[in-house]
Amino acid sequence: MNYRSNEWTMAIHWSLDRLRDLLPADRFAHMESVSCNPDVALDAGGNYPIIHGETGHLIAGVPYAKGLRVPRSKMRDLCSKGIDVQYGKNLIDVAFTESQKGVVAVFDDGSMVSGTILIGADGPRSKVREFAMGSAEKAAVSRFPIFHTNMTVTYNDAEKARYVRQRFPTSYLALSDRSYHAFQSSRYPDFISVISD
């Protein structure tokens, strides 16, 4: 189940070897099944295209040996299999054990969870980061001045869709001389995210 209203894709390349070590073997074996474009093999490699926004001509190709692009929701589902993920918990306190080798997370519903490490993967207004930094002010992040819009594109033209998929099998970045930049991620359905600054 996707608990977030928005959807993003992410490229996984340099972290693949680490994921292979972290994930159970049966989970890692299904990485390609959550790919945005299952026609592109994990070890296919290639050049990540950076194109000119006005002309469409290739500016540069950033090489990568292996990798894939995944929707975050599908990757989250794959990684959370067999894990008791509880949503809607509100962290109110963090305490360390007397030995300093353990940590206890305290939630507003009265529940407590103890462990050896607390990982703050709770977004830009992270409560975990607030506790680590000592205050919300110190934990605040600076804003990045961009305007971001997601759009879904359906070509209704098999030849055009095939051309885009062959030329840009996973994604591309377009840079404009007029300070407009676009990022396109190919997936089922085709997905385009436009960024301008």
Side-chain angles (χ1 to χ4, degrees), residues 11 19 35 39 41 86 105 110 131 137 149 157 175-176:
L19 276 174
S35 173
D39 293 334
Q86 298 178 36
F131 284 110
E137 293 75 25
T149 302
D157 180 331
L175 303 178
S176 165

Side-chain angles (χ1 to χ4, degrees), residues 84-184:
D84 179 22
V85 178
Q86 298 178 36
Y87 291 91
K89 304 285 270 185
N90 184 26
L91 182 71
I92 60 169
D93 197 10
V94 174
F96 295 93
T97 60
E98 288 183 20
S99 66
Q100 297 295 308
K101 294 182 179 177
V103 63
V104 179
V106 182
F107 299 93
D108 68 351
D109 62 3
S111 63
M112 295 186 290
V113 179
S114 59
T116 54
I117 187 170
L118 177 65
I119 299 172
D122 50 338
R125 290 177 290 278
S126 168
K127 293 297 286 184
V128 174
R129 189 167 59 246
E130 284 184 25
F131 284 110
M133 300 299 293
S135 71
E137 293 75 25
K138 290 181 180 177
V141 295
S142 57
R143 291 188 173 273
F144 191 61
I146 65 169
F147 173 73
H148 189 234
T149 302
N150 290 340
M151 296 178 287
T152 299
V153 174
T154 302
Y155 292 109
N156 293 321
D157 180 331
E159 288 303 314
K160 188 181 288 185
R162 188 175 296 112
Y163 170 79
V164 171
R165 232 176 247 296
Q166 286 173 347
R167 189 161 180 214
F168 309 112
T170 60
S171 53
Y172 70 80
L173 175 65
L175 303 178
S176 165
D177 293 330
R178 296 179 293 178
S179 295
Y180 289 93
H181 311 294
F183 170 77
Q184 181 266 338

Side-chain angles (χ1 to χ4, degrees), residues 6-61:
N6 58 3
E7 176 66 295
W8 308 100
T9 64
M10 59 184 178
I12 301 176
H13 32 74
W14 61 265
S15 61
L16 270 173
D17 292 334
R18 291 182 182 176
L19 276 174
R20 189 187 305 272
D21 293 338
L22 291 170
L23 290 175
D26 65 323
R27 209 82 45 84
F28 189 83
H30 288 90
M31 285 290 292
E32 288 182 6
S33 71
V34 299
S35 173
C36 291
N37 188 347
D39 293 334
V40 179
L42 185 141
D43 59 357
N47 285 308
Y48 178 74
I50 300 173
I51 65 173
H52 191 279
E54 278 75 37
T55 67
H57 293 119
L58 184 69
I59 297 173

